[in-house]
Amino acid sequence: MHLGFKELVTIGLGLIIGGGVITVTGYGIGYTDTGVSLAYLVAGLAFMFSMIPTLIVGLTIPRTSFSYTVTKELMSPFVGGMFLWIFFIGRIIMAFFGIAFASYVTSIFPSLNATYVAVAAVTLFYAINLFGARSATNIQKVLNIVLILALVSFSVLGTMKLQPDALTAERLFPNGSDGFISAVTLLMFSMGGGLVLLEFGGMVKEPQKVLLKAILTVTAIATILFAFIGLAGSGVLPYEEVANKPMTYAAKTIFANEAGVLFFVFAGALMALATTINSSYMWYCNTMIKGCEDGWFPTFLAKKNRFDTPYVLLTIFWLIGIVPIILGMDIGVLVRVATGLALLFFAIPNFALLGLPNKYPEEWQQSRFYIKSKFVLVTLTLVCNAVFIGLIFKSFASFSSTILAIIAASVLIGVVYVYFKNKQMKSIALEPATQN
């Protein structure tokens, strides 16, 4: 099955205009009040700039399971295995999406059981994705239309009700440059949905044209929309009433009646989380397929049903989503760990551009992004990665020692697992030659 521009934009919007903007904006307001709108604009630009090396590689040699495949091919099998490990254990964030969905539902219907609602949300989109990417994207189109309508109405009505001092320097930068940079760091990593489309590169015709157009379209729409959402969410009330709080507080001021607030909760917040859950299943599976086929995990996990869906992998991600919910695990800890791991798996493939000219010289010279000078190529890669790694350190500085210890332990376990698995895979590959 091939994905066109419309399907890619649909998937990308589902990934990027999702739970992040609903759950993170309040914390961004906490750092820099109404400056969160500017922080979103800077975050979108900073993310795309820092990820230029990854974007060039993905458009030059498009692959399904892109991040893992190019990391393995252009860096080393061990690094590829580490990427896959970090990505896999970071999928515990699916539980957070389910809990966040349930929190909004129970805020309207307090008699409902939050655990049941969270499990039901994760399960519903698991069932939809079992019928293939085409089925999932058709559902996604409807969800995206409703979602964007709700968020645009929130933004437009909100900007019409801004407080007189909303755009003053005192409110744009209440905590100075440090607060603004902290907001950019926090918000930047909610801008990655467009780049995740590279994971579908092997399913796209004319990727250097269609895939690039889709990524830029998705990122531009999200960046502008998020900036207006941030302005509306922060500017209609005093700082103390919206900082570090859900956007429902601002919605009660923006919309004239309870019906409007309900519309925002259902069509905005819930649809945002629903589109994230739906698109995440497709992203997770496409990233893991090639790694399973290569032997890092059992190959049967990549087995597909008649709808071309890797149903075993899909089921595992469903279980990863519902088990923490059922067990009542601390979702706050889980989401911080998942966020830290997400920063690492975005960073790893960003160095792959350095190996592209030697590994695929013909494809590189024919690429529309071809850079003849090795010095320019290396400088571009290092500068972009310096920006990204700097923001990672800024983000990690806000984590508690417990969260950092969990992330470090997860990576260390991965190093041991990948080392011995890589050794085993090498020995199996050498067996036929030894026998001869």
Side-chain angles (χ1 to χ4, degrees):
M1 184 191 77
H2 290 287
L3 297 174
F5 175 74
K6 291 182 180 179
E7 286 80 14
L8 289 169
V9 170
T10 297
I11 294 170
L13 288 176
L15 285 166
I16 199 170
I17 305 179
V21 68
I22 295 297
T23 57
V24 174
T25 299
Y27 295 103
I29 294 171
Y31 280 123
T32 191
D33 198 5
T34 58
V36 70
S37 57
L38 297 178
Y40 263 124
L41 293 175
V42 174
L45 293 173
F47 185 85
M48 289 306 296
F49 173 78
S50 63
M51 291 287 104
I52 285 176
T54 296
L55 186 62
I56 291 175
V57 175
L59 296 173
T60 301
I61 50 170
R63 299 282 191 274
T64 300
S65 302
F66 161 77
S67 296
Y68 159 70
T69 304
V70 300
T71 301
K72 179 195 70 172
E73 292 180 357
L74 302 182
M75 298 177 75
S76 76
F78 177 83
V79 177
M82 278 304 303
F83 168 83
L84 208 64
W85 172 265
I86 291 172
F87 180 86
F88 180 72
I89 60 176
R91 298 313 91 210
I92 55 175
I93 198 166
M94 180 64 84
F96 170 71
F97 295 148
I99 290 292
F101 186 95
S103 69
Y104 275 98
V105 172
T106 54
S107 69
I108 303 299
F109 303 105
S111 62
L112 293 178
N113 184 292
T115 299
Y116 292 163
V117 173
V119 170
V122 175
T123 302
L124 172 63
F125 292 103
Y126 159 72
I128 290 171
N129 277 267
L130 281 173
F131 292 96
R134 183 72 67 178
S135 172
T137 53
N138 287 335
I139 295 293
Q140 194 78 21
K141 289 177 183 178
V142 177
L143 296 178
N144 283 347
I145 292 171
V146 177
L147 168 62
I148 292 176
L149 179 62
L151 295 181
V152 168
S153 64
F154 177 90
S155 303
V156 172
L157 294 176
T159 53
M160 294 170 63
K161 296 183 178 181
L162 294 179
Q163 294 195 316
D165 65 341
L167 297 179
T168 60
E170 290 76 12
R171 290 204 62 181
L172 288 169
F173 308 103
N175 297 311
S177 60
D178 188 62
F180 183 78
I181 293 172
S182 294
V184 170
T185 303
L186 173 70
L187 303 175
M188 189 176 117
F189 301 105
S190 65
M191 307 303 297
L195 204 69
V196 170
L197 291 177
L198 292 176
E199 302 299 332
F200 301 87
M203 305 166 69
V204 180
K205 286 185 178 180
E206 298 184 274
Q208 291 198 19
K209 177 182 177 181
V210 176
L211 194 54
L212 175 61
K213 183 179 176 182
I215 291 171
L216 294 179
T217 299
V218 166
T219 305
I221 291 174
T223 300
I224 295 170
L225 179 59
F226 289 3
F228 278 102
I229 290 172
L231 180 59
S234 60
V236 297
L237 289 170
Y239 171 77
E240 297 77 15
E241 296 183 34
V242 289
N244 303 311
K245 294 179 181 178
M247 290 197 295
T248 47
Y249 288 86
K252 291 176 181 179
T253 298
I254 291 172
F255 294 99
N257 50 50
E258 186 177 351
V261 176
L262 289 175
F263 172 70
F264 172 75
V265 171
F266 281 97
L270 293 181
M271 284 299 167
L273 290 161
T275 56
T276 297
I277 295 171
N278 187 45
S279 289
S280 291
Y281 276 122
M282 291 183 279
W283 170 28
Y284 298 170
C285 291
N286 273 282
T287 299
M288 292 292 297
I289 287 173
K290 184 61 178 174
C292 293
E293 293 173 348
D294 285 350
W296 292 107
F297 295 95
T299 54
F300 77 87
L301 297 182
K303 189 175 180 180
K304 298 180 179 180
N305 62 15
R306 64 189 181 91
F307 299 104
D308 202 35
T309 299
Y311 65 94
V312 180
L313 273 175
L314 196 70
T315 301
I316 289 174
F317 289 128
W318 169 66
L319 291 171
I320 288 174
I322 66 170
V323 169
I325 297 171
I326 294 172
L327 295 179
M329 297 176 67
D330 188 334
I331 298 300
V333 172
L334 290 179
V335 73
R336 285 174 175 80
V337 171
T339 299
L341 294 170
L343 307 185
L344 295 177
F345 77 68
F346 269 120
I348 293 173
N350 215 31
F351 287 93
L353 179 59
L354 295 175
L356 181 61
N358 292 331
K359 187 70 175 181
Y360 292 99
E362 185 176 341
E363 289 86 346
W364 176 233
Q365 291 179 13
Q366 294 176 354
S367 173
R368 64 189 296 186
F369 310 103
Y370 175 66
I371 300 172
K372 185 176 181 179
S373 169
K374 185 176 181 180
F375 174 78
V376 174
L377 180 72
V378 172
T379 301
L380 174 67
T381 303
L382 294 180
V383 169
C384 291
N385 277 286
V387 172
F388 194 78
I389 292 172
L391 290 167
I392 287 178
F393 276 113
K394 179 69 175 176
S395 180
F396 274 32
S398 66
F399 289 176
S400 68
S401 57
T402 301
I403 301 299
L404 292 175
I406 293 174
I407 293 173
S410 300
V411 172
L412 183 59
I413 292 170
V415 169
V416 175
Y417 172 80
V418 171
Y419 172 79
F420 285 105
K421 191 67 178 178
N422 189 43
K423 195 172 182 180
Q424 179 190 44
M425 290 163 63
K426 284 183 178 179
S427 65
I428 292 174
L430 290 173
E431 280 181 6
T434 303
Q435 292 173 0
N436 290 333

